[in-house]
Each structure stands twice: as structure tokens, then as C-alpha cells.
């Protein structure tokens, strides 16, 4: 049966992730969390509050949202008539926006919330890994790239557009495909929501 929860799922990409890490040793990856308050004394009320207050996503609202900012420190080295990208250090900042009940939940409801939250958190760990894999792909396909006839290291920047675009598009498609499976009827996140809201 098509539930309200299911319609919200189709309208958005639900993004929730784990507790933030500290930055990695070289400061290359930073994960940070923001929360928005939801209210309710029952599971349907809490989920309705998510639908009212969650981050905007297309025509609807998401359970949560993830954004990332990726910048690079690149070292281009001219060698005679050729320019080579000899190193590239990424700085990846991932920001997650998650729901958080504003008040203390009664015991039974808290247990249901914890199961729901943990399930969706695990779902989002996959999205986080996809982003990190994208960065690794960019490193692998660009570091060491050499362009002849480019003593001023200008052409190489244009040559890098293709691998950068390909990595980004692949990550988006992979993420979309994953959500399609997880959010569809019978998918993991769909079942989590039905279980939380309806006690199924």
C-alpha cells in the first residue's frame, strides 16, 4: 500500500550519516554534522515533523541531507615543453544535516527511533564511501598526467576537465542507483520507515 512515508521517499533522497569523525591525519577529510529539531510523542508525529522540517530536496523534503565541498592543492611542474601534474592534495569537507528529536522520547518510542536512525545511518555510510571513492578516482586518473606543448601549464587544466567530470557523474549515478534500490517498495530504507511509523 502506498503510504505517506513512501511518497516522501520517492520525492527526496534520504541522507543520514554516522557521528562525525575528526579530520584524518593529513587534514584531507573533514566530516561535520548539523541537526534540525523535530517534535512529536509518537512515531507518526515524528515522521510528519521530518516531512515538515527536513531539508528541501526537489519538490519535497528529505529525512536528511549531505553536501560536500572538494578543493585541491595541485602541483603542476613544467619539464621542457611538457607540463605534468606531479601531486594533488584534496581537502574534502562533508556536511550532514540530520533530524534530532527536540525532547526526550519515552522508552518504547526511543527504541524504535534508535533502530530507524541506525538503519538510515548505515545507508548513508555507503554514500559517504562513494564520495571518498570519487576523490580516489580523481587522484588516480589525474596525478601523473602530462601534456606536451604546454610549457606554461595551461592546456593541462583543460585536459583534466574530462576525468573530473567523469568521476563526478559516475558518483552521482552510483548514488542514484543505490537510492533507487533502497527507497523502492521493499527496499531497506522503505522497510525501515514502515517499521518505524507503522510498527510493522
Amino acid at each position: 500500500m502506498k503510504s505517506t512515508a513512501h511518497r516522501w521517499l520517492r520525492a527526496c533522497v534520504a541522507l543520514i550519516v554516522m557521528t562525525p569523525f575528526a579530520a584524518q591525519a593529513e587534514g584531507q577529510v573533514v566530516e561535520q554534522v548539523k541537526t534540525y529539531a523535530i517534535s512529536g510523542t509518537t512515531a507518526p508525529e515524528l515522521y510528519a515533523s521530518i516531512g515538515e522540517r527536513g531539508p528541501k530536496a526537489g519538490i519535497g523534503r528529505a529525512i536528511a541531507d549531505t553536501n560536500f565541498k572538494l578543493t585541491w592543492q595541485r602541483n603542476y611542474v613544467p619539464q621542457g615543453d611538457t607540463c605534468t601534474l606531479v601531486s594533488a592534495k584534496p581537502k574534502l569537507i562533508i556536511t550532514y544535516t540530520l533530524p534530532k528529536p527536540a525532547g526526550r522520547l519515552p522508552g518504547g518510542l526511543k527504541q524504535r527511533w534508535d533502530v530507524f536512525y541506525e538503519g538510515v545511518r548505515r545507508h548513508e555510510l555507503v554514500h559517504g564511501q562513494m564520495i571518498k571513492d570519487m576523490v580516489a578516482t580523481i587522484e588516480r586518473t589525474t596525478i601523473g598526467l602530462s601534456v606536451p606543448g604546454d610549457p606554461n601549464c595551461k592546456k593541462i587544466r583543460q585536459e583534466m576537465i574530462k576525468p573530473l567530470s567523469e568521476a563526478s557523474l559516475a558518483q552521482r549515478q552510483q548514488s542514484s542507483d543505490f537510492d533507487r534500490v533502497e527507497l523502492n517498495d521493499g527496499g531497506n530504507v522503505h522497510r525501515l520507515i514502515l517499521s518505524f511509523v507503522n510498527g510493522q
Side-chain angles (χ1 to χ4, degrees):
M1 184 175 70
K2 302 285 186 181
S3 65
T4 299
H6 182 64
R7 289 195 296 271
W8 280 344
L9 278 172
R10 288 192 177 280
C12 65
V13 175
L15 297 173
I16 292 183
V17 79
M18 65 187 300
T19 304
F21 303 163
Q24 289 185 348
E26 296 182 0
Q28 294 180 325
V29 179
V30 176
E31 297 183 71
Q32 56 191 14
V33 171
K34 297 189 301 182
T35 62
Y36 66 94
I38 59 172
S39 60
T41 57
T42 67
E45 287 176 356
L46 288 170
Y47 196 76
S49 186
I50 288 173
E52 294 169 356
R53 302 179 184 181
K56 291 184 178 180
I59 61 173
R61 290 184 180 270
I63 294 173
D65 178 65
T66 186
N67 288 288
F68 69 91
K69 179 180 180 181
L70 176 60
T71 56
W72 296 86
Q73 292 180 347
R74 294 188 173 100
N75 184 17
Y76 300 96
V77 176
Q79 298 171 323
D81 195 43
T82 299
C83 181
T84 301
L85 178 64
V86 297
S87 67
K89 181 180 178 181
K91 181 176 183 181
L92 176 63
I93 302 175
I94 304 175
T95 302
Y96 306 102
T97 303
L98 329 177
K100 181 179 180 180
R104 174 176 292 185
L105 303 178
L109 179 57
K110 183 179 185 304
Q111 290 179 0
R112 286 169 64 182
W113 171 261
D114 288 347
V115 170
F116 168 72
Y117 182 89
E118 176 64 12
V120 184
R121 182 188 75 86
R122 289 180 180 274
H123 167 91
E124 283 314 308
L125 290 179
V126 179
H127 285 292
Q129 187 59 51
M130 289 175 183
I131 293 170
K132 295 170 189 176
D133 289 345
M134 176 193 68
V135 174
T137 297
I138 292 172
E139 291 178 303
R140 186 175 63 253
T141 57
T142 59
I143 296 174
L145 178 66
S146 292
V147 176
D150 189 22
N152 296 318
C153 292
K154 293 182 178 179
K155 293 179 183 179
I156 193 171
R157 300 170 194 269
Q158 292 299 315
E159 290 290 329
M160 288 176 57
I161 291 176
K162 182 179 179 181
L164 292 174
S165 297
E166 288 177 347
S168 177
L169 290 172
Q171 181 268 327
R172 291 182 187 182
Q173 186 63 55
Q174 186 182 27
S175 181
S176 177
D177 291 344
F178 177 63
D179 277 332
R180 189 176 299 111
V181 173
E182 291 271 289
L183 305 178
N184 232 343
D185 285 337
N188 184 51
V189 175
H190 180 235
R191 287 187 285 107
L192 283 169
I193 290 180
L194 291 179
S195 179
F196 174 62
V197 175
N198 301 326
Q200 296 179 355

